[in-house]
Amino acid sequence: QVQLVESGGGSVQAGGSLRLSCAASGSDSWYCMGWFRQRPGKEREGVAVISPGGGSSGYADSVKGRFTISRDSTKNTLSLQMDSLKPEDTAQYYCATVRSSPFPPFANCSAAFRRGDAYYWGQGTPVTVSS
């Protein structure tokens, strides 16, 4: 069992930046990791996904060019740098271990990520962007 704990959420004005972190209690280095969010009144959606080695990543169209996902497998941490934040980015943000085989082809990760299919989920951290 792996526990994921997010941090770094908060309130910021539009145009500002936040950096979210996710600490894993065990090693998830064999698996893709992802960030998801649930906006008020909306279903949970995928934001960004990264391969086990960090060499491949993918983003939702709504955050491309503004958000950057990264991971440090030696420290079992996952990060999401969020720049040029918009009010519509207001949401509860979750990190997750994407469900797949160990060291999967990135296409498999992406498919699972789009389905929201994950082994483990964090409790979430809130982000509020004011206009």
Side-chain angles (χ1 to χ4, degrees), residues 19-43:
R19 185 177 181 86
L20 306 183
S21 295
C22 173
S25 63
S27 176
D28 278 358
S29 60
W30 296 353
Y31 299 95
C32 290
M33 299 288 294
W35 285 99
F36 297 79
R37 69 184 181 187
Q38 187 162 19
R39 294 184 281 182
K42 304 286 187 181
E43 291 188 354

Side-chain angles (χ1 to χ4, degrees), residues 43-98:
E43 291 188 354
R44 187 170 57 198
E45 60 183 347
V47 175
V49 61
I50 191 167
S51 62
S56 297
S57 59
Y59 298 89
D61 288 343
S62 58
V63 306
K64 277 181 183 176
R66 300 188 298 121
F67 290 11
T68 304
I69 189 171
S70 61
R71 69 189 298 171
D72 185 339
S73 295
T74 63
K75 298 180 180 178
N76 294 330
T77 58
L78 178 73
S79 298
L80 185 69
Q81 177 66 39
M82 305 187 296
D83 299 317
S84 302
L85 282 161
K86 304 176 181 180
E88 52 263 44
D89 294 318
T90 295
Q92 187 82 353
Y93 283 74
Y94 302 88
C95 66
T97 305
V98 177

